[in-house]
Amino acid sequence: MFKKKDALRNRSRDLQKKVNRWHSRIEVVLYIIFLFSLSYYNQVPMWIILAAFCIVYQRFNIFMEWKFARETREHLLAVIFFFFYLASIGVGTLLNVF
């Protein structure tokens, strides 16, 4: 029983771990660009900026996991999250949340 709980804790740490240091550095740059674009492009609807960030960020994440950690098959989970994010943005746009 304790081994199962410990395995779950280790699994959650593995999900936060990036493939390599370039992966984490480029993600920080993408976050900075996203925050800058939120404040700079006031005329563009927020859902467009959010969708663009989601597409770029998730596609980068999928590529890095596919290229450098293919044996873990985490890239398949990232593909599912990619479609979930796009569906969430689409539903939010239809409901005028943004």
Side-chain angles (χ1 to χ4, degrees):
M1 182 166 138
F2 291 113
K3 288 183 181 183
K4 288 183 182 181
K5 287 184 181 180
D6 189 46
L8 289 175
R9 280 192 221 122
N10 288 339
R11 179 75 177 139
S12 66
R13 280 187 226 130
D14 289 343
L15 290 175
Q16 296 170 355
K17 194 184 323 178
K18 303 302 176 196
V19 175
N20 55 26
R21 67 181 177 170
W22 286 105
H23 188 186
S24 58
R25 287 181 181 173
I26 293 175
E27 279 187 355
V28 169
V29 169
L30 289 174
Y31 284 129
I32 291 170
I33 290 171
F34 173 66
L35 292 175
F36 174 75
S37 65
L38 279 178
S39 63
Y40 187 71
Y41 297 110
N42 292 337
Q43 303 299 323
V44 178
M46 185 177 166
W47 69 270
I48 293 176
I49 296 172
L50 190 60
F53 172 74
C54 176
I55 290 169
V56 171
Y57 177 78
Q58 280 298 113
R59 292 196 74 187
F60 171 73
N61 198 15
I62 291 168
F63 172 74
M64 290 298 282
E65 289 177 356
W66 173 76
K67 183 76 172 169
F68 296 106
R70 194 176 298 173
E71 64 278 352
T72 62
R73 301 179 63 89
E74 291 290 329
H75 60 280
L76 298 176
L77 184 62
V79 169
I80 293 170
F81 279 129
F82 173 71
F83 288 115
F84 175 74
Y85 292 151
L86 287 182
S88 299
I89 293 169
V91 168
T93 302
L94 290 174
L95 297 175
N96 289 327
V97 173
F98 301 112

